[in-house]
């Protein structure tokens, strides 16, 4: 008996794309006893592929199997060996010899992980993929654990690494102090990979990642950053920095091997370090301590809001470069985050805040530092930029309104409002855009009943709805996570994917 597979078996796909992998080859037998049969069995010991049914060996001496994944394939390289066995019967109780092996390699390209506030260094909350939202199914769910002595429990804004969801969860004690733990969960089934308790009373902010490492940010202690392996939880490095418990520091921003964040005793410095080993590259003073995190363009600049300015520094040296003066912002501290987004037109999109007018959105040319446009209406903290549009929650509108704003002209392409029958009175949490849908959440402020919506990017029509809206992140392998409320705070995670 001779089995000769063609190999190696290879396939390359993007995350979420259908897999086409083919195993084929030839078989030949001689001197078989009269009445004997030959069946072929294919087995994947790694569990990457579903094992095809045992079948009679084709009479023409060739075989072909179209292989399908056993489970959703996460981004990265999946390697192993397939076993092909010639059997004497359909149950393979007896064989004609030992299995023949052939190598396989499946490469799944990542969409990019959800690394920080508003996804990545552009803070555009845009994921370059398409979804059929009606096909999303819940894969697993998790509740923040109870914390002894805490008045409430919560889950912060998550991040993802390759194969893991990273969250900081905890509770607030009666004296206002925190009891926190960082958790990592297997993206496929929600099993806990590891956890790392934070000392009581230390404030931990929402985590970040570089796709492989998870960054735990602790304020009010001597260690600002702890980098942990996303799969094992082992410490890769720590970054020593004493900070005040109230320093306005949130999740850092990673870009091309560098990590940018605010530091200093009072959050009054901008630091850049090597994202893999924590070695400092530079540190410079920071101006106007607003709650924000750095934004990177596709060239060599780092941007952050500083009062009426959008400061710009060279990413390599930290030296100042021409900054943007925002004449429509008087420097008043915006309530909440004022993180800018880098658009698709070499432009920076940011909130221009004056108490009398609210937080309108402005687009500035990153080349000339000049205003391109400013919106008529004020908009909420979180917005998304993609498909040539800015998708933003209009502040104070009744009924609640999501606008698709043309990124070049500021013209409103369409406006969306939830059906009146749902009695939704306000937006909650963030906006996430993909190539075909926008995810947004609304809530009835009186009852707490919330809804997650998927809205068509072209028409503004509702495509799908699901109870329990919340903060949405999408992993590099297209798992959609929603952090929602079961009481008064975000304390529940559900993971959804298209089967």
């Amino acid at each position: 008996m001779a089995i000769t597979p063609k190999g190696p078996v290879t396939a390359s796909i993007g995350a979420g794309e259908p897999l086409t992998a083919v195993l084929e080859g030839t078989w030949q037998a001689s001197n078989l006893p009269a009445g004997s049969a030959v069946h072929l069995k294919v087995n994947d010991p790694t569990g990457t592929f579903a094992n095809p049914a045992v079948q009679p060996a084709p009479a023409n001496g060739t075989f072909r199997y179209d292989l399908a994944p056993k489970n959703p394939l996460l981004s990265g390289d999946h390697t192993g060996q397939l076993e092909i066995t010639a059997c004497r019967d359909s149950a393979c109780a007896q064989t004609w010899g030992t299995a023949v092996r052939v190598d396989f390699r499946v490469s799944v390209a990542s969409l990019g992980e959800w690394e920080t506030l508003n996804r990545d260094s552009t803070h555009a909350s845009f994921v370059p993929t398409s979804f059929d939202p009606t096909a999303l199914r819940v894969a697993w769910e998790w509740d923040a654990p109870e914390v002894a002595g805490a008045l409430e429990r919560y889950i912060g804004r998550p991040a993802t690494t390759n194969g893991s969801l990273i969250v900081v969860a905890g509770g607030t004690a009666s004296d206002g102090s925190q009891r926190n733990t960082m958790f990592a969960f297997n993206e496929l089934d929600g099993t806990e990979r590891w956890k790392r308790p934070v000392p009581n009373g230390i404030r931990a902010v929402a985590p970040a990642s570089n796709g492989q490492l998870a960054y735990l940010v602790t304020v009010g202690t001597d260690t600002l950053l702890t980098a942990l392996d996303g799969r094992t939880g082992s410490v890769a490095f720590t970054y020593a920095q004493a900070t005040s418990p109230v320093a306005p520091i949130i999740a850092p921003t990673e870009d091309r091997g560098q990590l940018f964040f605010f530091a200093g005793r009072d959050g009054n410095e901008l630091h850049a370090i090597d994202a893999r080993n924590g070695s400092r590259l530079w540190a410079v003073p920071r101006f106007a301590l607003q709650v924000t995190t750095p934004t990177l363009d596709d060239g060599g600049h780092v941007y952050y809001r500083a009062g009426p300015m959008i400061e710009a520094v060279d990413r390599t040296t930290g030296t100042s470069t021409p900054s943007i003066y925002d004449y429509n912002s008087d420097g008043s501290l915006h309530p909440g985050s004022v993180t800018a987004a880098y658009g698709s037109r070499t432009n920076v999109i940011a909130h221009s805040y004056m108490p009398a007018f609210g937080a309108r959105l402005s687009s500035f040319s990153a080349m000339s530092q000049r205003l391109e446009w400013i919106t008529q209406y004020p908009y909420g903290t979180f917005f998304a930029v993609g498909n040539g549009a800015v998708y933003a929650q209009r502040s104070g509108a009744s009924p609640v309104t999501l606008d698709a704003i043309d990124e070049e002209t500021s013209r409103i392409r369409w406006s969306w409002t939830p059906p009146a029958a749902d009695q939704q009175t306000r937006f909650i949490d963030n906006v996430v855009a993909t190539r075909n849908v926008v995810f947004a959440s609304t809530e009835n402020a009186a009852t707490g009943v919330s809804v997650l919506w998927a809205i068509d990017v072209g028409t503004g029509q509702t495509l799908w709805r699901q109870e329990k809206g919340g903060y949405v992140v999408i992993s590099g392998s297209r798992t959609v996570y929603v952090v929602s409320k079961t009481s008064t705070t975000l304390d529940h995670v559900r993971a959804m994917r298209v089967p």
Side-chain angles (χ1 to χ4, degrees):
M1 180 68 65
I3 297 175
T4 308
K6 294 181 181 179
V9 176
T10 61
S12 297
I13 60 171
E17 295 178 356
L19 173 65
T20 301
V22 176
L23 168 64
E24 55 186 345
T26 62
W27 72 278
Q28 185 178 13
S30 59
N31 301 320
L32 290 177
S36 297
V38 178
H39 292 75
L40 295 182
K41 176 184 177 181
V42 176
N43 176 55
D44 175 11
T46 71
T48 301
F49 294 106
N51 293 332
V54 177
Q55 55 187 264
N60 63 3
T62 66
F63 59 85
R64 175 189 168 98
Y65 294 89
D66 294 319
L67 302 174
K70 185 176 181 179
N71 295 300
L73 292 181
L74 302 181
S75 58
D77 290 332
H78 303 263
T79 60
Q81 289 187 320
L82 298 168
E83 299 175 342
I84 309 149
T85 305
C87 305
R88 296 172 181 257
D89 56 88
S90 60
C92 273
Q94 294 181 305
T95 67
W96 290 108
T98 59
V100 174
R101 293 175 174 82
V102 60
D103 293 335
F104 72 82
R105 182 186 185 93
V106 178
S107 297
V108 182
S110 173
L111 297 170
E113 297 299 331
W114 195 283
E115 296 183 350
T116 187
L117 178 76
N118 302 333
R119 187 173 183 264
D120 60 15
S121 62
T122 68
H123 300 291
S125 290
F126 178 74
V127 184
T129 190
S130 296
F131 278 98
D132 175 4
T134 64
L136 286 170
R137 298 293 181 268
V138 175
W140 55 268
E141 300 182 73
W142 182 78
D143 288 307
E146 296 291 343
V147 179
L151 301 179
E152 63 180 8
R153 58 180 183 167
Y154 52 77
I155 299 172
R157 293 187 292 261
T160 66
T161 64
N162 186 5
S164 300
L165 175 72
I166 310 295
V167 301
V168 170
T172 304
S174 58
D175 62 359
S177 63
Q178 295 184 355
R179 309 287 188 268
N180 290 313
T181 301
M182 192 179 201
F183 294 89
F185 300 101
N186 186 310
E187 179 172 356
L188 285 178
D189 57 16
T191 54
E192 184 182 298
R193 289 191 187 274
W194 52 264
K195 62 183 177 182
R196 183 181 179 85
V198 176
N200 287 347
I202 300 300
R203 183 165 69 91
V205 303
S209 89
N210 70 346
Q212 302 295 326
L213 299 177
Y215 301 107
L216 172 62
V217 183
T218 48
V219 183
T221 181
D222 292 336
T223 301
L224 179 59
L225 284 173
T226 302
L228 305 126
D229 185 279
R231 290 185 178 272
T232 67
S234 61
V235 176
F237 68 83
T238 58
Y239 189 76
Q241 172 71 72
T243 53
S244 162
V246 294
I249 296 171
I250 59 176
T253 296
E254 191 274 343
D255 184 64
R256 288 168 280 182
Q258 294 176 267
L259 198 65
F260 303 87
F261 54 91
F262 296 114
R265 176 71 188 178
D266 299 308
N268 56 332
E269 295 175 354
L270 172 61
H271 288 210
I273 66 174
D274 188 301
R276 296 154 294 191
N277 59 34
S279 60
R280 182 181 293 188
L281 303 175
W282 48 260
V284 297
R286 171 200 181 190
F287 308 100
L289 308 186
Q290 294 182 307
V291 180
T292 185
T293 191
T295 299
L296 281 292
D297 65 15
D298 52 11
H301 301 94
V302 184
Y303 302 91
Y304 68 93
R305 168 65 76 174
M309 305 289 293
I310 299 174
E311 295 287 346
V313 301
D314 184 279
R315 68 172 292 154
T316 303
T317 64
T319 55
S320 295
T321 62
S323 298
I324 297 168
Y325 192 88
D326 183 0
Y327 291 94
N328 294 291
S329 179
D330 63 6
S332 299
L333 291 180
H334 182 282
S337 167
V338 286
T339 301
Y342 186 68
S344 63
R345 303 176 50 257
T346 320
N347 57 321
V348 178
I349 301 170
H351 284 97
S352 295
Y353 180 64
M354 289 187 184
F357 297 100
R360 293 177 291 174
L361 286 174
S362 294
S363 177
F364 302 91
S365 167
M367 302 296 291
S368 66
Q369 297 81 49
R370 293 181 179 178
L371 175 70
E372 296 179 328
W373 50 256
I374 184 169
T375 58
Q376 175 184 358
Y377 303 108
Y379 290 92
T381 296
F382 296 108
F383 58 92
V385 184
N387 311 307
V390 181
Y391 306 97
Q393 306 161 342
R394 197 185 300 181
S395 298
S398 182
V400 291
T401 303
L402 180 79
D403 288 334
I405 304 162
D406 189 278
E407 191 184 354
E408 181 176 1
T409 66
S410 79
R411 176 183 61 86
I412 295 177
R413 294 180 177 179
W414 50 256
S415 295
W416 172 90
T417 59
D422 283 281
Q423 299 181 327
Q424 300 289 283
T425 59
R426 67 182 180 187
F427 283 107
I428 57 172
D429 301 303
N430 62 338
V431 179
V432 177
T434 72
R435 287 176 176 153
N436 69 317
V437 298
V438 177
F439 292 101
S441 296
T442 57
E443 181 184 60
N444 183 300
T447 65
V449 174
S450 63
V451 180
L452 173 65
W453 306 89
I455 303 157
D456 187 279
V457 299
T459 65
Q461 300 300 305
T462 300
L463 299 176
W464 172 83
R465 68 187 299 283
Q466 187 180 80
E467 299 297 323
K468 295 183 180 179
Y471 192 87
V472 175
V473 306
I474 301 175
S475 77
S477 297
R478 297 191 356 134
T479 299
V480 179
Y481 298 101
V482 185
V483 186
S484 56
K485 300 177 184 177
T486 59
S487 55
T488 58
T489 57
L490 297 175
D491 60 3
H492 177 81
V493 174
R494 69 183 183 276
M496 299 184 289
R497 66 175 65 96
V498 176

